[in-house]
Amino acid sequence: RKVIRFMTRVLSALAQKIVTWLKMARIGLTVRIVVALVLTYEDFVTDVLVTVEYKETGRENFFRLSIYIIAFAIFMHCLVSFINNTKKGIKVRVLRFLSSLFMLTPMIDGYNVWTGKEDDTNEQFKPAEMLVISRVIEVIFESLPESTVQTYIILSSTPDKISNI
C-alpha cells in the first residue's frame, strides 16, 4: 500500500508538471507560427509595394522581373497544392488551388499545424511538412530573388535615384 500511495503522489506531481510543460509547448508553437506568418505576409506586401514603386519610377524591366518572380512563387504554391491534393475530389482541389493562388496557403498550413490536424491519407504531405514546404517556396522562389533584384538596384543607383521605399 505504501508503494501505491508513493506512486500515486509521484504520478500526480508528474502529471501537474506535464500539463505545465504542454501549455508552454503550445504557447511556443503559437508564437513560432504567428511570427512565421507575419514575416511571410510582410515580405509579400513589401515586395508588392516595391514592384509598384518600380512601375511609378519608370523601371519597367525591374517591374516586369518583380511581377515574374511573384507570379512564379504563387505558381509554385499552386503546383505543390495540386500535388498534395491529387487524391482528393475536384471540389477540394479547386478550393486548395484557389487558396494557393490568393496566397492563403501559409495561413492555412499554419492553422492546420496549430490545431494538430490529423494526417490525411489522401494528402501527399503531413500538415507540418506542408508548412515547411510553403516556407521553403517563399524563401527560394520569392524572397531570395526579390532581395537580389532590390540589392542590385540599390547598388547600381545614385543617391538621388533611391526612393524612400
Side-chain angles (χ1 to χ4, degrees):
R1 291 187 177 191
K2 289 182 179 182
V3 172
I4 292 174
R5 281 189 213 144
F6 174 75
M7 289 304 291
T8 303
R9 283 190 222 138
V10 168
L11 291 177
S12 295
L14 185 60
Q16 289 174 352
K17 292 280 187 189
I18 288 174
V19 167
T20 303
W21 295 334
L22 289 176
K23 285 181 184 176
M24 293 303 290
R26 187 81 173 148
I27 291 169
L29 175 65
T30 302
V31 169
R32 284 193 312 269
I33 289 173
V34 167
V35 167
L37 288 175
V38 166
L39 292 175
T40 295
Y41 287 109
E42 179 270 337
D43 180 45
F44 184 74
V45 167
T46 56
D47 287 342
V48 170
L49 290 174
V50 169
T51 302
V52 169
E53 179 74 15
Y54 296 156
K55 179 73 171 168
E56 290 176 353
T57 58
R59 296 176 175 162
E60 291 294 323
N61 292 336
F62 295 119
F63 170 74
R64 281 193 296 277
L65 181 59
S66 232
I67 291 290
Y68 295 147
I69 290 170
I70 292 170
F72 189 70
I74 292 172
F75 168 77
M76 291 303 294
H77 279 291
C78 292
L79 180 64
V80 168
S81 176
F82 176 78
I83 291 168
N84 191 42
N85 296 296
T86 53
K87 296 179 184 176
K88 301 237 179 188
I90 189 73
K91 183 179 178 181
V92 172
R93 282 187 283 169
V94 168
L95 284 173
R96 301 278 170 88
F97 178 81
L98 290 174
S99 70
S100 296
L101 190 62
F102 293 110
M103 288 298 295
L104 297 174
T105 305
M107 192 180 312
I108 293 169
D109 295 337
Y111 179 78
N112 288 339
V113 169
W114 185 73
T115 59
K117 179 185 171 198
E118 296 294 322
D119 296 347
D120 189 346
T121 57
N122 290 331
E123 292 180 349
Q124 301 294 326
F125 307 108
K126 297 175 184 175
E129 292 171 340
M130 279 302 295
L131 184 61
V132 170
I133 290 169
S134 177
R135 294 294 297 147
V136 168
I137 288 171
E138 287 297 313
V139 169
I140 293 175
F141 297 108
E142 194 259 326
S143 294
L144 288 176
E146 279 291 336
S147 296
T148 304
V149 169
Q150 292 169 16
T151 302
Y152 174 77
I153 289 173
I154 288 172
L155 293 176
S156 65
S157 296
T158 59
D160 58 326
K161 296 281 187 178
I162 297 176
S163 70
N164 293 332
I165 290 184

